[in-house]
Amino acid sequence: MEIRDIVKEKYGQAALRVTTGGNSCCGASATVDGCGVDPITSHLYDANQTGQIPEEAVLASLGCGNPTALAQLNPGEIVLDLGSGGGIDVLLSAKRVGPTGKAYGLDMTDEMLALARENQRKSGLQNVEFLKGEIENIPLPDNFVDVIISNCVINLSGDKDRVLQEAFRVLKPGGRFAVSDVVVRGTVPDEVKRSMLLWVGCIAGALPDEQYVSKLAKSGFDQIEIEPTRVYNVEDARAFLNAEGIDVDSIAAQVDGKFMSAFVRATKPA
Ligand SMILES: C[S@@+](CC[C@H](N)C(=O)[O-])C[C@H]1O[C@@H](n2cnc3c(N)ncnc32)[C@H](O)[C@@H]1O
């Protein structure tokens, strides 16, 4: 199976869990503790934000950051969320850009799109549209979007260069890239990296931070910054790694402080 098919299947199942009254968590917490407090996805949004949107959108949240809290979003702007899932960041962005602006969500998984559209219906927001498609082939015209947000999705793509080129293409000159994602800092042996990334998400392929910067620059972006928002250590992943049969203490020194959620900013030159 291609990475894309595996990702689609996993997130389709996660969406159905929310639709049937469960929690969306997948990967680590789903197998280990039946979705307890996940150190990656929990407590990302404050009560002021969660109070503005349907509960199901909050339950479906599978991000690793809060791009809407860190991105500058102005009334009247067009926002695009790459891999919008249950729609939490799209709905919050729609509120910020107001009725003269618009928030698009793009996702390839039918079950997630159905959940997101239902959440939009419950929210009553009109300035929202969920599009079906892949972030490697964004179904929007060139120079169309003011701000691209995304929450823990670009790391899942098997072709990150293509995603960044597409993001650059659809942004207006001067447009902002404002994305939360998982990145790796420093050298980590491949096997340790594989185990930790299984823990981080259903399937994750986080980029080393310096590669993220160079790929953004190669796509044409400037003013690139990567700001860590949560740094993980081996204790966060202990239960999962134990269940996978991994000797956690032997890899602790290679893990601590190297895996993080980060806010990635860049600008398309004006
Ligand atoms: C980790 S979840 C994040 C969802 C949402 N951003 C949030 O914060 O809750 C990843 C989402 O990205 C979607 N996705 C993953 N790879 C994709 C791709 N290549 N193209 C479009 N959607 C993708 C999945 O279907 C899933 O809904």
Side-chain angles (χ1 to χ4, degrees), residues 118-152:
E118 180 58 16
N119 287 334
Q120 178 193 354
R121 192 189 62 72
K122 286 182 188 143
S123 74
L125 285 163
Q126 301 295 318
N127 59 336
V128 167
E129 187 172 341
F130 289 99
L131 307 169
K132 179 169 179 176
E134 292 168 358
I135 61 175
E136 295 82 1
N137 292 294
I138 300 176
L140 287 174
D142 298 357
N143 306 318
F144 183 74
V145 171
D146 293 290
V147 185
I148 286 198
I149 60 166
S150 182
N151 201 345
C152 231

Side-chain angles (χ1 to χ4, degrees), residues 16-218:
L16 289 178
R17 278 199 294 277
V18 174
T19 316
T20 53
N23 190 306
S24 61
C25 65
C26 59
S29 31
T31 51
V32 175
D33 58 13
C35 292
V37 179
D38 185 316
I40 303 170
T41 58
S42 58
H43 308 309
L44 295 171
Y45 300 87
D46 65 27
N48 175 36
Q49 287 187 302
T50 56
Q52 295 179 36
I53 51 175
E55 194 191 353
E56 289 78 1
V58 179
L59 286 174
S61 163
L62 275 171
C64 54
N66 182 348
T68 60
L70 297 166
Q72 184 199 335
L73 300 176
N74 303 317
E77 287 189 321
I78 298 180
V79 181
L80 167 66
D81 182 11
L82 300 180
S84 42
I88 185 166
D89 295 321
V90 179
L91 301 182
L92 289 170
S93 300
K95 298 229 169 214
R96 295 266 297 281
V97 297
T100 56
K102 181 145 182 186
Y104 290 92
L106 172 64
D107 208 287
M108 66 178 179
T109 306
D110 288 323
E111 295 86 343
M112 278 296 183
L113 285 165
L115 180 60
R117 287 177 179 139
E118 180 58 16
N119 287 334
Q120 178 193 354
R121 192 189 62 72
K122 286 182 188 143
S123 74
L125 285 163
Q126 301 295 318
N127 59 336
V128 167
E129 187 172 341
F130 289 99
L131 307 169
K132 179 169 179 176
E134 292 168 358
I135 61 175
E136 295 82 1
N137 292 294
I138 300 176
L140 287 174
D142 298 357
N143 306 318
F144 183 74
V145 171
D146 293 290
V147 185
I148 286 198
I149 60 166
S150 182
N151 201 345
C152 231
V153 180
I154 295 176
N155 73 81
L156 300 170
S157 173
D159 192 349
K160 297 171 180 60
D161 286 316
R162 172 87 194 177
V163 175
L164 300 181
Q165 282 155 17
E166 279 289 274
F168 188 85
R169 177 184 68 76
V170 299
L171 273 175
K172 293 176 186 168
R176 284 106 64 201
F177 179 89
V179 163
S180 291
D181 215 344
V182 176
V183 299
V184 184
R185 190 163 272 180
T187 318
V188 184
D190 278 353
E191 211 172 303
V192 174
K193 193 167 160 186
R194 257 194 305 278
S195 309
M196 280 301 283
L197 293 181
L198 263 182
W199 168 71
V200 162
C202 288
I203 311 129
L207 279 176
D209 55 352
E210 75 273 11
Q211 266 191 43
Y212 219 129
V213 172
S214 65
K215 283 178 187 294
L216 279 163
K218 210 176 97 195

